[in-house]
Amino acid sequence: MTREWLLSDQPVSRRQARLGQAYRTWLDFRTNGLAMFGFLIVLVLVLLAVFAPWLAPHDPLQGDLNTTRLLPPLTEGYWLGTDDQGRDILSRLIYGSRITLAVVALVAVIATPVGLLVGTTAGYFGGWVDTVLMRFTDIVLAFPKLILALAFVAALGPGIENAIIAISITAWPPYARLARAETLTIRNSDFIAATKLQGASSARIIWKHIVPLCMSSVIVRVTLDMAGIILTAAGLGFLGLGAQPPQPEWGAMIAGGRNFLVDYWWVATMPGLAIFIVSLGFNLLGDGLRDVLDPKRQK
């Protein structure tokens, strides 16, 4: 009964129409095996972050240098081995998923609205507003993300909060350019002209009419950028400018294990695999969302 209500060709309310469209999108999405695989990876990341205190078998911050230092994987009680401080690597990876998820979520929450605001404003008004905003965007884009993030973190000081701010500052320009391109194709539409004739302000037109039409493309771009955000955060952690010891951040864990690669390979390999798997998951999820949300795709 619920399925028939969602798939009805004649919805009786906006709520039914929106839920029906979301359900059809989900049906299209789940037919993509790779996208579903990426979705499951991201879902596992979220579950690990939420239930970390119950899933981690050991304390991620404490170890025993006398008895548990640099134990190999599959040692009794230590499935992924231990690090040079005797701490359980699996537990640190599980708790590290919280840091990774927090960085991804906060950067998306900060950078996406800024990019949408700059891009839609530039595309809607055009003229000197477009020129000023886009030239500033081009200046930010001219610098490699990691180098620019390093500069901001160096100015703000090391720490996970400052790393999030620095990554957000470098992440918004692609969203601005995408939103501007979408706005240029929308601003001269008949429904925008009709909205102007009804007396709507420019701010209302942008946020109520243009931004929603840009959201699908921006969401896809944000999802695809998640892997880059994770790598940038890991790079800052590796250089000692992100999360500070003893926090179980994956990049910092790789940095701590780089001196043991020859004899104790698992110390750096396990967090490296975690970064690879999560980045792959976000890429596959983004590809699937692009296929589903792209209005120009062939059906």
Side-chain angles (χ1 to χ4, degrees):
M1 189 66 179
T2 303
R3 178 184 173 89
E4 294 176 356
W5 182 77
L6 289 172
L7 296 178
S8 174
D9 293 332
Q10 297 178 340
V12 297
S13 65
R14 289 186 178 181
R15 177 173 174 269
Q16 182 181 358
R18 290 171 180 171
L19 291 176
Q21 181 59 42
Y23 184 65
R24 291 185 179 90
T25 301
W26 166 251
L27 292 178
D28 289 342
F29 179 81
R30 73 179 188 179
T31 60
N32 188 330
L34 289 177
M36 284 299 298
F37 180 64
F39 173 75
L40 290 176
I41 292 176
V42 176
L43 180 61
V44 169
L45 175 70
V46 174
L47 293 177
L48 288 176
V50 172
F51 298 105
W54 296 274
L55 295 175
H58 300 278
D59 189 322
L61 303 180
Q62 293 183 356
D64 189 342
L65 292 174
N66 294 323
T67 60
T68 63
R69 185 175 185 269
L70 295 173
L71 294 179
L74 301 180
T75 301
E76 183 177 358
Y78 300 96
W79 293 97
L80 300 182
T82 61
D83 62 9
D84 60 314
Q85 300 297 317
R87 298 170 297 195
D88 179 41
I89 293 178
L90 176 59
S91 299
R92 289 179 64 77
L93 290 179
I94 292 174
Y95 272 89
S97 65
R98 288 185 160 188
I99 298 176
T100 299
L101 192 62
V103 170
V104 167
L106 290 175
V107 170
V109 168
I110 296 172
T112 304
V114 173
L116 276 171
L117 176 62
V118 173
T120 53
T121 301
Y124 180 77
F125 288 105
W128 67 268
V129 175
D130 183 24
T131 300
V132 171
L133 292 178
M134 285 300 100
R135 295 299 77 76
F136 178 70
T137 302
D138 291 338
I139 291 173
V140 179
L141 282 172
F143 295 92
K145 284 187 177 181
L146 182 58
I147 302 301
L148 191 58
L150 284 172
F152 281 112
V153 173
L156 297 173
I160 191 64
E161 297 84 2
N162 291 337
I164 292 172
I165 295 173
I167 297 172
S168 300
I169 293 174
T170 65
W172 65 266
Y175 312 145
R177 295 194 66 86
L178 181 60
R180 174 182 178 271
E182 295 281 347
T183 304
L184 290 176
T185 64
I186 297 170
R187 67 177 183 179
N188 295 323
S189 302
D190 292 339
F191 77 94
I192 295 295
T195 305
K196 290 180 179 179
L197 291 176
Q198 292 176 354
S201 64
S202 297
R204 181 176 179 83
I205 292 173
I206 291 173
W207 285 108
K208 293 292 185 180
H209 299 281
I210 295 179
V211 167
L213 293 175
C214 298
M215 281 302 297
S216 60
S217 299
V218 172
I219 288 173
V220 172
R221 180 58 190 261
V222 170
T223 308
L224 290 171
D225 282 352
M226 294 300 183
I229 293 171
I230 292 171
L231 292 174
T232 302
L236 293 176
F238 182 86
L239 296 173
L241 297 175
Q244 299 299 297
Q247 287 182 299
E249 197 274 327
W250 294 348
M253 290 174 65
I254 295 176
R258 68 184 185 274
N259 296 325
F260 308 97
L261 282 175
V262 177
D263 297 319
Y264 308 101
W265 54 268
W266 59 87
V267 180
T269 300
M270 297 306 176
L273 285 175
I275 294 173
F276 167 75
I277 292 172
V278 173
S279 299
L280 176 64
F282 275 112
N283 281 332
L284 294 177
L285 177 62
D287 286 338
L289 289 176
R290 179 179 57 195
D291 293 340
V292 171
L293 298 178
D294 185 5
K296 303 181 183 65
R297 69 190 181 100
Q298 296 295 326
K299 296 188 178 180

